[in-house]
Amino acid sequence: MERSLKNVLVVSFGFLLLFTAYGGLQSLQSSLYSEEGLGVTALSTLYGGMLLSSMFLPPLLIKKFGCKWTIVISMCCYVAFSLGNFYASWYTLIPTSILLGLGAAPLWSAQCTYLTIMGNTQAEKVGKVGRDVVNQYFGIFFLIFQSSGVWGNLISSLVFGQTPTQEAIPEEQLLSCGASDCLMATASTNSTQRPSQTLIYTLLGIYTGSGVLAVLLVAVFLEPIKDAQQKSEGEKELPFWSTLLSTFRLLRDRRLRLLVLLPLYSGFEQAFLAGDYTRSSGVWGNLISSLVFGQTPTQVLYGVLFEKNKEAAFASYRLWEALGFVIAFGYSTFLCVNIKLHILLGVLGLAMLAYGTVEYLEAKTLARPVATEQTKPADGAETETAM
């Protein structure tokens, strides 16, 4: 197996193990810790921390520790959240949720940066187009990663399924399903009982073990990688504040300002899938599309358009995606599903228009050097004739 593909698989299976644990825990927060809204508050705090982290941390950590060790450190934040669930209270879940949120943005920024550098390096080695190899690597990653939702929920189902507690759902509750579902309109009539503490500890032990395995896999087997472009530029040392604010400085680029709607929509969509849509069907749809066409064009686009500022670009992606999560979770409890669908369609339509504008601007930019090159020989021919 070639070296670059081996590293892609290590990252992919590391994230699979990590998010098998985190995805399962995330889906159980509101049901296991419903007292005084602890579970929902923990999730809101988590994405608030991710929003804050996206503004500053990714470029700093990636520059200081490199992609590999940024991934390892950030994964440890996820393991801490699993440990916090063993003794769930306001004093354990909220701090570990903040810690996870702070680690989430550097984790994803380092992963995207790593795959982009690895893809470009491999493309240069074999004489292929960089974006094609990068897209292939992202496709492999998301094909493996997206199945984490299946495994995480399967594990919780098998563990909690040992003591069936679900009663029949009344017919009147079925009348407000699908697009007609308005969470504030009907009180919950679900009589599902809380699983025993022994089963909860068993599940948490499995999830924590999965997270620890993810950390060990990446720490031991993932090879560090250096950006060849940074090497060629002589490792210019940027001032601390310049690195800290690089995510915001990149917003000067008109293309990035137009593209912010894509990650914003991603946050809206994922929050909708997690909170309102059947989780399993969403996971399998993502899994199949990852195999067919990457599920990843937007992230590849960020890596291609902002190649010289990859860390800041991917941090910006996570910033706007986290904002989408926060907004969507914010209105989730008082809007009907049909209204949420209209919001999703509206944001998607605007994002498509903005993306089309970026494609048009890029086509014009690429056409200028070609036109310049075509005029040069004609000018030279005129000079020769005059002589």
Side-chain angles (χ1 to χ4, degrees), residues 44 147 214:
S44 302
S147 67

Side-chain angles (χ1 to χ4, degrees), residues 243-261:
T243 303
L244 183 67
L245 300 175
S246 58
T247 303
F248 293 104
R249 287 171 55 243
L250 198 58
L251 283 170
R252 298 174 187 171
D253 193 318
R254 179 172 53 171
R255 299 171 302 171
L256 186 65
R257 294 198 300 271
L258 287 168
L259 287 175
V260 295
L261 286 173

Side-chain angles (χ1 to χ4, degrees), residues 122-367:
Q122 179 65 15
E124 187 176 350
K125 186 184 300 182
V126 298
K128 291 185 178 180
V129 178
R131 70 182 68 189
D132 292 342
V133 180
V134 171
N135 195 42
Q136 179 188 8
Y137 285 175
F138 271 92
I140 294 171
F141 171 83
F142 276 99
L143 169 65
I144 297 171
F145 163 76
Q146 291 289 2
S147 67
S148 62
V150 176
W151 305 121
N153 288 314
L154 179 61
I155 291 170
S156 62
S157 177
L158 290 174
V159 173
F160 289 159
Q162 297 179 51
T163 53
T165 56
Q166 181 89 27
E167 295 182 4
I169 301 175
E171 285 192 23
E172 58 268 20
Q173 189 175 354
L174 296 174
L175 297 176
S176 59
C177 291
S180 302
D181 184 15
C182 297
L183 297 180
M184 73 290 190
T186 57
S188 176
T189 58
N190 189 358
S191 55
T192 302
Q193 299 174 6
R194 179 185 172 87
S196 69
Q197 198 61 38
T198 302
L199 290 179
I200 292 176
Y201 283 151
T202 300
L203 182 65
L204 292 175
I206 295 171
Y207 283 160
T208 303
S210 180
V212 171
L213 281 176
V215 174
L216 293 175
L217 178 66
V218 174
V220 174
F221 295 104
L222 188 66
E223 297 179 28
I225 192 170
K226 195 71 175 176
D227 192 348
Q229 188 176 56
Q230 289 182 352
K231 281 183 178 180
S232 64
E233 292 178 359
E235 296 287 346
K236 290 188 295 185
E237 188 69 26
L238 295 176
F240 171 80
W241 286 108
S242 179
T243 303
L244 183 67
L245 300 175
S246 58
T247 303
F248 293 104
R249 287 171 55 243
L250 198 58
L251 283 170
R252 298 174 187 171
D253 193 318
R254 179 172 53 171
R255 299 171 302 171
L256 186 65
R257 294 198 300 271
L258 287 168
L259 287 175
V260 295
L261 286 173
L262 286 175
L264 189 68
Y265 170 75
S266 177
F268 275 82
E269 178 202 29
Q270 291 181 68
F272 177 79
L273 290 175
D276 299 285
Y277 193 65
T278 303
R279 195 175 185 85
S280 59
S281 62
V283 169
W284 284 111
N286 286 333
L287 184 63
I288 294 169
S289 59
S290 295
L291 175 63
V292 177
F293 41 74
Q295 187 65 8
T296 60
T298 52
Q299 298 190 50
V300 176
L301 180 67
Y302 270 61
V304 170
L305 291 181
F306 311 104
E307 188 176 357
K308 294 182 179 179
N309 300 282
K310 289 184 285 292
E311 297 89 348
F314 290 129
S316 176
Y317 184 96
R318 293 300 159 189
L319 168 66
W320 294 103
E321 187 178 54
L323 182 61
F325 269 107
V326 171
I327 295 173
F329 277 130
Y331 65 59
S332 178
T333 56
F334 60 86
L335 290 182
C336 298
V337 172
N338 58 354
I339 298 177
K340 296 174 187 175
L341 288 171
H342 283 92
I343 293 174
L344 281 174
L345 287 172
V347 176
L348 177 60
L350 291 173
M352 291 171 64
L353 286 174
Y355 170 73
T357 304
V358 172
E359 286 283 4
Y360 173 73
L361 293 173
E362 280 297 293
K364 283 181 63 177
T365 303
L366 292 173

Side-chain angles (χ1 to χ4, degrees), residues 15 18 51 60 78-79 120 128 162 164 196 225 236 285 302 371 373 382:
F15 273 65
L18 186 71
L51 185 65
L60 283 175
Y78 281 74
V79 176
N120 286 326
K128 291 185 178 180
Q162 297 179 51
S196 69
I225 192 170
K236 290 188 295 185
Y302 270 61
E373 289 295 324
E382 289 180 10

